[in-house]
Amino acid sequence: MRKTVLSLMSVTALALAGCNNAPTPEQPTSTDAPASANTAAAANTAVNEVSGTISLRGSVQPSANATLVLNLVDVSSTAVGSAPLASKTAPAGSFPQPFKLSFNPADVKPNDLYVIQATLTDGDRHYAMPIQAPVLAKGSKNDGVVIELVAEQTPGEKVMDAFTAEQKQLGAMKVTHGTKLDANVSRGWQLFRQAGQVQFIRELVDYGDKGFTSTDYAYKDGKPWAIVQETKASRDGKPSAIDRAGWSDDGTLVLKQHQVGSDVQPLDDDAAAKLKKQAMEILGVATGGKNK
């Protein structure tokens, strides 16, 4: 009996020993914890800046007075009129050049569309982006954004192009001729009409030993909108100067050039006003005072 009890006690002791030596449930290793922390930190880190490079199409660099404006804008239909998330205005400098815009990530709406808008202003010359630069959306780059700016026509260039196009249509217009002799001045002109309206007058004025001028005047609704005048020593001579003046629809002088050889300088306001006065005078003479 005593042997049996001892035997049972031995079995129990062995069983308990076995339990103490059994493997415990696996615990995270010391190397797992930092990895999890890094993943969580990365998930909670939001982009707070966009960056890239801006270049100009062509080789011309802006003047020292040029200004560059950058905006990070929400262009979604629901965000019309909202303020930019980030904005920067500074002297333009030279191109290509890097840019960076910082913003508050809390202001970003996940389902909205954001773009970088860049504009360069250099006097009358404006440069704009022909292609949008989306950022902050899935699949869009937030760094290494490439922006190219392209020069737009100045208001004066638009007037000059329209004037040149008008000249090319003169052959399809009704033309009348006229002359006038004054003391020491011989004047002749061609007047071009379309749909009963004066569109163009080409005037030749011989001042004798004081020189010669050839002037093209373009009109809209009885008012001059573009003028090009060549000054020469004689009728068959080369121009010693070319003056160009043109006005926008609201009457603002936007084309103002005084050219001598290849040098082009701004035409002063008084000279432009004198040309405009001449345009009205020849219109009155060529139409017998009717101005149409």
Side-chain angles (χ1 to χ4, degrees):
M1 182 66 178
R2 185 175 180 183
K3 290 182 178 180
T4 303
V5 172
L6 288 175
S7 180
L8 290 173
M9 291 178 63
S10 299
V11 172
T12 302
L14 290 172
L16 290 174
C19 289
N20 290 334
N21 294 329
T24 57
E26 185 177 348
Q27 299 295 327
T29 64
S30 60
T31 56
D32 289 336
S36 300
N38 290 338
T39 302
N44 292 327
T45 300
V47 175
N48 66 351
E49 69 179 28
V50 292
S51 60
T53 304
I54 304 174
S55 62
L56 298 184
R57 183 178 297 177
S59 58
V60 178
Q61 291 289 332
S63 73
N65 298 321
T67 300
L68 177 66
V69 178
L70 293 173
N71 288 309
L72 172 56
V73 181
D74 187 343
V75 292
S76 305
S77 59
T78 55
V80 175
S82 61
L85 269 68
S87 184
K88 183 182 294 184
T89 301
S94 60
F95 293 85
Q97 62 174 265
F99 77 90
K100 182 183 294 184
L101 286 175
S102 299
F103 59 94
N104 183 0
D107 294 335
V108 178
K109 299 176 183 178
N111 295 323
D112 281 10
L113 176 63
Y114 296 90
V115 300
I116 298 293
Q117 292 179 343
T119 56
L120 173 65
T121 302
D122 190 7
D124 290 338
R125 176 79 62 198
H126 293 268
Y127 296 76
M129 298 169 55
I131 300 175
Q132 284 192 334
V135 291
L136 305 184
K138 184 178 181 180
S140 297
K141 297 176 66 175
N142 298 321
D143 59 356
V145 179
V146 177
I147 292 175
E148 183 183 50
L149 295 174
V150 178
E152 298 180 333
Q153 278 191 312
T154 66
E157 287 171 342
K158 291 179 181 179
V159 168
M160 195 63 215
D161 279 357
F163 177 81
T164 302
E166 186 89 352
Q167 285 180 315
K168 293 178 180 179
Q169 299 300 318
L170 295 182
M173 298 182 190
K174 182 179 180 181
V175 58
T176 58
H177 303 262
T179 59
K180 184 180 180 182
L181 296 177
D182 295 320
N184 302 319
V185 178
S186 175
R187 191 183 306 270
W189 63 83
Q190 293 176 299
L191 183 147
F192 298 86
R193 286 189 176 90
Q194 190 172 50
Q197 296 292 319
V198 176
Q199 302 292 321
F200 210 90
I201 294 178
R202 177 165 288 160
E203 180 189 35
L204 305 177
V205 182
D206 191 343
Y207 296 95
D209 57 3
K210 293 184 179 180
F212 187 93
T213 60
S214 173
T215 311
D216 284 352
Y217 305 94
Y219 299 85
K220 287 181 182 178
D221 301 322
K223 297 179 181 180
W225 61 272
I227 303 168
V228 176
Q229 183 174 84
E230 295 182 351
T231 300
K232 310 177 183 180
S234 63
R235 182 187 184 100
D236 297 324
K238 294 182 178 180
S240 58
I242 303 175
D243 290 335
R244 302 178 184 89
W247 295 263
S248 61
D249 291 342
D250 64 1
T252 302
L253 179 65
V254 293
L255 174 61
K256 37 188 175 182
Q257 295 180 350
H258 175 69
Q259 180 175 351
V260 177
S262 59
D263 181 41
V264 180
Q265 299 291 332
L267 180 70
D268 64 61
D269 291 349
D270 289 342
K274 183 179 178 180
L275 288 174
K276 196 170 190 177
K277 181 180 178 181
Q278 291 176 8
M280 293 307 297
E281 287 175 350
I282 187 61
L283 179 63
V285 171
T287 60
K290 297 179 181 180
N291 289 0
K292 61 180 181 178

